[in-house]
Amino acid sequence: MSAELPHVGSAAPDFTAPVSAEENLTLSDLKGQTVVLYFYPKDSTPGCTTEACDFRDNIARLTSLNVKVIGVSKDSLKRHSNFATKHELPFPLVSDENTTICEDYGVWKEKSMYGKTFMGIERTTLLIDDQGIVRQVWPKVKVKGHVDDVIAAVEAL
């Protein structure tokens, strides 16, 4: 069973995970930068594509605020690569195929659709400051307007 979502003011759980066949990403290596870590259910689905493209379309604003955007889902590196290429995503997508990161962050949850229950990723975003401390958590994200909310929170840090 999943842990709880990290609390505001707590250290973000560290992880090292693949972002490509040749490269891993380690969260603690990003100290000194603000990180927007967003968890999403599945590449190439409508809501997830909209969310990724919203982050892409606002990457200049985010980069100017010294923010690193990282997406996380269970999808394979190959699916991530195809998704990132198709939508020209300028940020890494972490492959968490064994759900370790999702469980550590408390976003691997029982969900239901059409009367069936299953385990899946609950769309969640965390704002992590330059010292690795969680500054804001958005559980059960609604995609529309979300990136604007994230940017406003970054600007308020």
Side-chain angles (χ1 to χ4, degrees):
M1 197 64 204
S2 278
E4 288 185 3
L5 286 171
H7 296 285
V8 171
S10 68
D14 197 20
F15 63 84
T16 298
V19 292
S20 73
E22 306 80 39
E23 186 184 4
N24 284 335
L25 181 144
T26 299
L27 185 64
S28 58
D29 288 349
L30 300 175
K31 279 215 170 116
Q33 262 191 302
T34 301
V35 173
V36 170
L37 184 65
Y38 82 97
F39 292 87
Y40 64 100
K42 194 169 179 65
D43 290 339
S44 302
T45 57
C48 298
T49 299
T50 299
E51 185 176 27
C53 291
D54 284 352
F55 277 116
R56 176 201 65 201
D57 294 347
N58 286 282
I59 201 70
R61 286 172 70 194
L62 289 157
T63 303
S64 74
L65 295 165
N66 194 32
V67 172
K68 173 98 173 163
V69 174
I70 302 166
V72 182
S73 82
K74 253 180 74 58
D75 291 301
S76 67
L77 289 172
K78 181 166 179 27
R79 279 190 66 104
H80 276 342
S81 176
N82 292 342
F83 184 56
T85 299
K86 180 176 181 181
H87 298 288
E88 300 177 2
L89 303 179
F91 49 84
L93 298 175
V94 169
S95 177
D96 186 28
E97 288 187 87
N98 61 11
T99 69
T100 305
I101 301 165
C102 292
E103 290 178 38
D104 287 349
Y105 275 84
V107 302
W108 186 245
K109 305 241 184 204
E110 188 174 277
K111 299 168 84 175
S112 64
M113 186 182 292
Y114 307 121
K116 296 201 182 320
T117 59
F118 58 95
M119 294 301 290
I121 296 172
E122 184 173 271
R123 190 182 309 277
T124 304
T125 301
L126 292 96
L127 177 59
I128 302 166
D129 73 12
D130 59 0
Q131 298 304 304
I133 303 300
V134 175
R135 291 295 168 205
Q136 190 146 352
V137 179
W138 291 268
K140 299 180 183 168
V141 166
K142 300 288 179 248
V143 173
K144 190 167 175 49
H146 177 57
V147 173
D148 290 331
D149 292 345
V150 171
I151 290 171
V154 170
E155 289 172 341
L157 279 182

